[in-house]
Amino acid sequence: MKACAYLLVFFVVGIAEAQTPHFERYFVTRNNESVQINKIFQSREGYIWFATTKGLYRFDGERYRSFGIADSLPDLNITALAQDSLGRIWTGHASGKISVYHNNRFNLFQPEEGLSSSPVSDILFDADNVLWFSTLNDGLYYYVNKRLYRLDEENGLPDLYVYDIEQGQNNEMYAGTDGGLVICNRKGQSTDIRVVSNKHGLPDNIVRKIHSLDNGTLLLATEDKGVIEFDRQSNAFKSITQNTSLTAISDIVVTSGKVWVASAETGLAVVDLKSGMLKRYPDENGKPLPIMSCLLVDNERNIWSGSRNGIFRTLGDELEFVPVPVTDRDANVMAVTTDRDGAIWFSTEDGLFKRTKTSAGNYTTTSILDGSPYERYRVISLYVDDNGFVWAGLYGEGVLRIDPGTKKITRLAKELRNGNVLSISRGAGNSVWLATLGGAEKIEIKGNDLKVSHYSSENGLSSDFIYQVFVDSKNRVWFATDGRGVDMIDGAGIHHLEKGLASKVIYGFAEDASGRIWVNTQDSGIFYVSQNEFVDSRSDSVGFRELNNYVLTSDRAGRIVTMHNGGIDIFDPVAKSIRYLDENSGLGNRVANLNSAFRASDHILFGTSGGLVLLNFNLSPRIFPKIHIEGVSIVGKKHYLDLAKPLPHSENNLTISFRAFWYQNPEDVAFEYRMDNYDEDWITTGDDQITYSQLPPGDYTFHVRALNSEVQGDSTIRFSIRPPFWKTAGFLMAVAVSIALVIYAYIKYRERALLEAKRILEQKVEERTREIQRNVEEIQAQNEEIMAQAEEIKGINENLEMLVRQRTAELERKNQALEEYAFINAHKLRSPVASILGLVNLLNKSEMNDECKVINRHLLDSADELDGIVRSITKAIERGDHKS
């Protein structure tokens, strides 16, 4: 193999500041006028409070509320803030006054003993809810059992200028003064005071700020000697800002093992407690930050700093931005790596650069290839091998192997099948893999000898267009191809994998903590390998935001890290959680270049269109939006903060107000809510208040939770609405009791009435019985009489029967006589009559004289009359027969 060696030409292009995190800037006034921030405080609800020289401000991430004289503040210069166990906000003032914010109004704290006229520097409530406050030039106070006590020189205080109060272990109270550290132990109404000063080894007596660590160690911010660590067990002191110019410290906070320092002279800095490394922070544009007066670490691990020129918020150094030299071209970083000495190597359109920290703590950036035969070559990939050599993959011109120590370059071009080296990665043993547009190249390193082996479609790969070669923890070699899926080489040979892939264009690989292989595809998202098949991460509800990810890698803990147009996603496969970093973290419109990333021992460097982005591995645990229910308003009437008492039935039109505190990205928070016993399911909304109308009486629990890429939190408020009195259990019980009493009285009345009716009935029955008895006796007498009469009637009947028989016999004889008479009358009597009538009729036909005619006529009339009589007799006899 033929290689060419050249001396490296180093060209210093300038001095740069250290990498810096993103600082979000805020102004509390509408016109962004200058106002001094004296104190930043976060209440338990989640609000950020700013004490300023021009009033008090409350911030929820989107809206400010200002408080002034109209709200009963005694004056506008507020110097201290605290919150008591009841949730009330206490304000200390430069005038020495103290006020309490409660029910939307400030009230003066007016103990009988009176207050000092010196500025209040700090307020604190200890574990026993005892109020402590310090003053500038009037000592230290505490208020217990409605009595105010003052501690001054007579009590052992070394100086009346007290800057800060802090509570430590065993309920010890610490105070920072101009005369050293004061340790107070309150016993009842008396206090023991111990002073730690330069007599005891304290490097500086002026202690401006105190912070108590979990192990009992104290951090003391001093006027001239920086931050001092005070071990309470051994009473030993150690400077953690040794050999630095950190003086006139106004405030310190501690988070994630780092001390953030606000200095009235040098601005903002951070010190690592373990390594002692110090960083000074300008903003991401390299401009110095203004002088900081106060600091706060909020519930989301944001660091807030206040100054005269506004308020700054940062997530800290978990995400930092590294300045790069910018000429007439942009700061587009195409490749990046870090060498053994921690220097950052990166390439842009302007060439290849090396960024090194000097002994003075500054950073110098050097152009590597200027003046060499390769100064016009474009570096598109970088890698540092196990021997410390820097490999620079070129666009169409092969690869350079650079020795940082001897400053020599070895170029490989003819030895490669293709000169477009897209990425360079570590191989098994002492080897390097190159991914090119003509296949993959394996370079085995043996001293100065470089042995190149070709891998292409000619010897089994499915494609010659390779974006990345990746060697996993099992020494399997993975090839990301352009349009042919994935090839993998293991002990059994070459395997082609594409089942389950939605896109066959593969950009790169990563391996998580469990050894699972992940791939990023073109426009189809991220997949992982399971039993030689690919599974879409979205099927496991992994919330990667983009389908096109330009960088895929993993951090030291095995979390999957991607970068895309929207920012950075960090997925923890063990916890099944994902963290997003986007423009609110300072990324802005920075877009990663394809496979332009380097993983060091404690960070990942990304080459982006806007320079270098550094992601530290000391990521704070994922923290979600904090939900706070502000209260319940009765429409048009009242506002309730406490709903322990039931509401009357007429106050059933409710508006529930709530907040989601998420200062990293407040616009990205929505809500889900549900009212138990009313709403059937969760309801999504972007509003921060919900109105319920005409709620029926009953018990209710209102739930609300935040939506920030996933559902988190569940704040609740319980209340009840009383039914109208006529529907209350008491009323219904009273009605029931009344009805029962009425029924009982009616029953008793009925019982008495029935008893009286029974008595009357019994009396009547008895009288009736007696009457019946009398009637029975009478009936018996009558019956006897009737029996006697019956006997008599019987005798009469018998006599009658005998008379009837006799009469019947007599009648029979008479009837027989009558029959005989009738027969005679009908036959023997009528026959002569008829003969007479016949003769008379014959006579009428003969001629007679008048006298004979008269006689004959009389004779005829007499005969007719006699015939009629006979007939009447006959009919009378016949009627008598019919009746008989």
Side-chain angles (χ1 to χ4, degrees):
M1 176 178 18
K2 187 176 180 181
C4 299
Y6 293 89
L7 289 176
L8 224 61
V9 178
F10 287 83
F11 179 70
V12 178
V13 296
I15 302 296
E17 295 292 338
Q19 56 263 20
T20 179
H22 170 67
F23 289 91
E24 191 76 26
R25 193 172 188 177
Y26 303 87
F27 294 94
V28 295
T29 56
R30 291 183 179 178
N31 56 359
N32 298 343
E33 64 178 310
S34 176
V35 56
Q36 178 63 48
I37 309 298
N38 294 325
K39 184 82 172 182
I40 307 176
F41 175 77
Q42 186 172 29
S43 64
R44 288 191 295 272
E45 295 81 12
Y47 289 106
I48 301 293
W49 295 76
F50 303 108
T52 79
T53 55
K54 295 183 179 180
L56 181 65
Y57 295 85
R58 190 181 74 181
F59 185 48
D60 64 7
E62 295 184 277
R63 296 174 293 272
Y64 292 95
R65 180 180 177 185
S66 61
F67 300 89
I69 301 300
D71 302 287
S72 302
L73 274 174
D75 68 69
L76 296 181
N77 193 354
I78 302 166
T79 53
L81 289 170
Q83 187 175 27
D84 63 18
S85 61
L86 299 178
R88 299 176 297 182
I89 299 296
W90 291 65
T91 61
H93 300 260
S95 61
K97 296 178 180 179
I98 295 175
S99 56
V100 186
Y101 179 65
H102 184 59
N103 288 337
N104 294 318
R105 184 175 178 82
F106 289 91
N107 298 300
L108 275 175
F109 172 58
Q110 296 177 309
E112 293 183 0
E113 296 78 9
L115 293 174
S116 169
S117 59
S118 296
V120 178
S121 56
D122 197 12
I123 302 176
L124 183 145
F125 288 88
D126 66 16
D128 299 324
N129 205 33
V130 173
L131 168 66
W132 293 75
F133 62 93
S134 57
T135 68
L136 299 180
N137 204 31
D138 197 38
L140 183 64
Y141 290 80
Y142 65 93
Y143 182 74
V144 61
N145 295 328
K146 298 184 178 181
R147 181 176 176 183
L148 185 66
Y149 298 87
R150 177 175 179 261
L151 301 177
D152 55 19
E153 292 97 332
E154 294 182 0
N155 304 100
L157 213 63
D159 195 276
L160 294 181
Y161 265 84
V162 184
Y163 299 99
D164 187 39
I165 318 170
E166 179 81 1
Q167 184 169 22
Q169 294 182 345
N170 302 320
N171 290 336
E172 283 186 332
M173 296 297 298
Y174 306 115
T177 75
D178 274 351
L181 174 69
V182 175
I183 304 173
C184 301
N185 284 286
R186 186 180 62 84
K187 298 178 181 178
Q189 297 180 353
S190 63
T191 304
D192 295 332
I193 292 179
R194 174 192 165 198
V195 179
V196 178
S197 65
N198 52 15
K199 296 178 182 180
H200 307 90
L202 182 63
D204 187 354
N205 272 351
I206 302 179
V207 179
R208 303 292 298 273
K209 189 71 177 180
I210 307 166
H211 184 90
S212 178
L213 299 177
D214 293 338
N215 60 4
T217 300
L218 299 180
L219 296 180
L220 310 177
T222 67
E223 178 73 18
D224 297 320
K225 299 298 182 180
V227 181
I228 307 298
E229 188 178 81
F230 177 40
D231 190 332
R232 293 286 287 114
Q233 300 294 326
S234 62
N235 290 325
F237 298 93
K238 182 180 72 173
S239 174
I240 67 168
T241 56
Q242 192 172 7
N243 301 323
T244 67
S245 58
L246 289 179
T247 58
I249 296 173
S250 57
D251 204 354
I252 58 173
V253 292
V254 179
T255 179
S256 301
K258 292 181 173 60
V259 183
W260 289 76
V261 182
S263 170
E265 294 181 355
T266 56
L268 191 63
V270 62
V271 181
D272 191 303
L273 282 174
K274 290 184 179 180
S275 66
M277 182 182 295
L278 171 70
K279 297 178 183 178
R280 299 181 186 277
Y281 281 140
D283 63 20
E284 56 260 44
N285 297 316
K287 297 178 181 180
L289 292 169
I291 301 303
M292 300 297 178
S293 57
C294 52
L295 296 171
L296 168 75
V297 178
D298 68 13
N299 297 330
E300 301 170 26
R301 307 290 179 89
N302 294 299
I303 296 98
W304 297 76
S305 52
S307 71
R308 182 174 292 277
N309 297 315
I311 301 156
F312 295 83
R313 178 186 61 82
T314 179
L315 278 171
D317 59 356
E318 62 182 38
L319 189 66
E320 297 179 299
F321 304 92
V322 183
V324 298
V326 179
T327 60
D328 57 340
R329 303 177 183 177
D330 59 18
N332 185 27
V333 176
M334 293 177 288
V336 62
T337 191
T338 303
D339 65 20
R340 284 180 167 183
D341 299 324
I344 297 175
W345 293 64
F346 62 92
S347 64
T348 70
E349 293 284 348
D350 295 323
L352 177 64
F353 299 92
K354 177 183 179 182
R355 185 174 185 273
T356 308
K357 186 176 182 179
T358 67
S359 58
N362 296 318
Y363 287 84
T364 177
T365 301
T366 307
S367 179
I368 302 299
L369 300 179
D370 278 2
S372 74
Y374 315 114
E375 64 179 343
R376 295 185 179 276
Y377 289 179
R378 186 177 175 187
V379 177
I380 59 175
S381 57
L382 287 168
Y383 173 74
V384 175
D385 65 22
D386 292 341
N387 300 313
F389 287 87
V390 178
W391 294 71
L394 305 175
Y395 180 69
E397 301 295 339
V399 65
L400 302 179
R401 186 175 187 244
I402 304 170
D403 187 340
T406 64
K407 301 178 177 60
K408 291 183 178 181
I409 302 175
T410 302
R411 177 184 173 215
L412 302 178
K414 295 180 180 179
E415 296 82 2
L416 308 180
R417 295 182 74 250
N418 186 277
N420 294 287
V421 181
L422 302 182
S423 65
I424 311 172
S425 56
R426 182 186 304 276
N430 195 11
S431 64
V432 173
W433 283 90
L434 310 180
T436 78
L437 296 181
E441 309 284 357
K442 181 180 181 182
I443 304 176
E444 297 179 81
I445 306 169
K446 296 181 179 179
N448 293 324
D449 294 331
L450 304 176
K451 180 183 176 182
V452 181
S453 301
H454 307 297
Y455 290 79
S456 66
S457 57
E458 294 179 357
N459 50 7
L461 292 185
S462 59
S463 174
D464 289 335
F465 289 77
I466 308 298
Y467 282 112
Q468 189 186 73
V469 180
F470 178 77
V471 180
D472 66 14
S473 59
K474 299 177 182 178
N475 286 330
R476 296 176 298 181
V477 184
W478 300 79
F479 301 87
T481 76
D482 183 11
R484 298 289 184 176
V486 174
D487 290 333
M488 186 267 287
I489 299 177
D490 60 11
I494 299 178
H495 308 274
H496 180 64
L497 307 175
E498 63 176 45
K499 187 175 182 180
L501 286 174
S503 171
K504 304 302 190 312
V505 178
I506 311 299
Y507 289 149
F509 303 92
E511 184 175 5
D512 65 19
S514 65
R516 185 167 51 180
I517 302 300
W518 297 69
V519 302
N520 58 324
T521 68
Q522 182 185 56
D523 298 327
S524 295
I526 295 176
F527 294 74
Y528 63 84
V529 181
S530 176
Q531 297 179 351
N532 292 328
E533 294 184 9
F534 291 95
V535 179
D536 192 334
S537 61
R538 289 172 295 178
S539 66
D540 281 353
S541 299
V542 178
F544 291 115
R545 288 177 290 177
E546 296 284 343
L547 295 178
N548 220 16
N549 296 272
Y550 302 114
V551 171
L552 177 67
T553 184
S554 59
D555 67 7
R556 185 174 54 198
R559 293 174 291 195
I560 299 300
V561 181
T562 74
M563 191 169 185
H564 45 74
N565 288 340
I568 298 173
D569 297 351
I570 306 160
F571 173 63
D572 188 336
V574 177
K576 301 291 186 182
S577 65
I578 195 163
R579 172 116 182 246
Y580 300 139
L581 301 174
D582 49 28
E583 61 182 8
N584 292 284
S585 304
L587 287 171
N589 57 357
R590 293 176 174 91
V591 177
N593 287 300
L594 186 62
N595 290 331
S596 179
F598 170 75
R599 189 182 85 175
S601 60
D602 59 354
H603 65 266
I604 297 175
L605 272 168
F606 299 93
T608 77
S609 60
L612 287 168
V613 176
L614 188 149
L615 175 68
N616 285 297
F617 289 166
N618 60 337
L619 293 171
S620 58
R622 187 177 183 192
I623 300 171
F624 299 99
K626 177 180 174 61
I627 293 291
H628 167 62
I629 297 179
E630 290 187 316
V632 177
S633 297
I634 307 303
V635 176
K637 291 186 178 180
K638 303 176 183 178
H639 181 75
Y640 290 95
L641 294 175
D642 183 10
L643 291 174
K645 296 181 179 179
L647 299 173
H649 75 280
S650 59
E651 298 183 357
N652 62 345
N653 296 314
L654 312 179
T655 296
I656 303 174
S657 301
F658 42 84
R659 291 285 184 274
F661 297 103
W662 186 242
Y663 294 98
Q664 297 177 24
N665 190 3
E667 297 87 3
D668 194 35
V669 178
F671 303 95
E672 281 190 340
Y673 68 92
R674 186 185 68 191
M675 182 82 81
D676 289 349
N677 298 328
Y678 192 82
D679 296 324
E680 294 182 358
D681 204 353
W682 290 91
I683 303 170
T684 302
T685 182
D687 298 329
D688 55 11
Q689 63 179 23
I690 298 300
T691 298
Y692 286 92
S693 300
Q694 300 297 318
L695 282 174
D699 297 326
Y700 296 97
T701 300
F702 177 78
H703 304 262
V704 61
R705 59 193 186 188
L707 289 175
N708 177 249
S709 76
E710 55 185 274
V711 175
Q712 292 297 332
D714 185 355
S715 186
T716 61
I717 185 169
R718 294 177 174 83
F719 64 93
S720 61
I721 298 176
R722 292 196 306 263
F725 75 91
W726 60 86
K727 291 184 178 180
T728 61
F731 179 82
L732 294 176
M733 183 172 291
V735 170
V737 170
S738 300
I739 293 173
L741 290 175
V742 170
I743 293 174
Y744 178 76
Y746 177 75
I747 291 173
K748 288 297 184 182
Y749 167 77
R750 287 292 297 163
E751 285 182 352
R752 289 193 297 272
L754 289 174
L755 289 175
E756 181 64 20
K758 179 183 177 183
R759 185 186 64 78
I760 294 173
L761 180 62
E762 288 178 346
Q763 182 178 357
K764 289 182 177 180
V765 168
E766 184 177 356
E767 292 177 356
R768 186 62 176 168
T769 302
R770 288 196 296 270
E771 183 179 353
I772 292 172
Q773 184 67 32
R774 288 194 299 272
N775 291 336
V776 168
E777 292 176 353
E778 290 178 0
I779 290 171
Q780 288 179 349
Q782 291 174 356
N783 187 42
E784 292 177 355
E785 183 178 354
I786 289 171
M787 292 296 293
Q789 291 177 352
E791 290 294 330
E792 183 179 355
I793 289 170
K794 183 179 179 182
I796 293 171
N797 286 337
E798 290 176 353
N799 187 39
L800 287 174
E801 287 177 356
M802 182 184 65
L803 292 175
V804 167
R805 286 195 299 271
Q806 292 175 356
R807 183 65 177 168
T808 301
E810 183 180 353
L811 288 174
E812 287 178 352
R813 288 193 299 272
K814 289 180 177 181
N815 285 336
Q816 187 176 3
L818 286 173
E819 287 177 358
E820 290 177 357
Y821 172 78
F823 180 79
I824 292 171
N825 183 64
H827 296 285
K828 293 182 177 183
L829 181 61
R830 286 195 67 189
S831 179
V833 172
S835 296
I836 294 172
L837 286 172
L839 290 176
V840 171
N841 286 331
L842 289 176
L843 288 178
N844 285 334
K845 292 177 180 182
S846 60
E847 292 183 6
M848 291 184 293
N849 55 27
D850 291 334
E851 184 179 357
C852 289
K853 288 179 181 179
V854 172
I855 294 171
N856 189 52
R857 190 170 49 250
H858 283 290
L859 181 65
L860 179 61
D861 290 335
S862 298
D864 286 334
E865 185 179 355
L866 177 63
D867 185 57
I869 292 170
V870 173
R871 289 179 181 271
S872 298
I873 294 170
T874 302
K875 289 181 179 177
I877 293 170
E878 289 177 353
R879 284 198 299 270
D881 290 339
H882 290 312
K883 290 180 180 180
S884 62

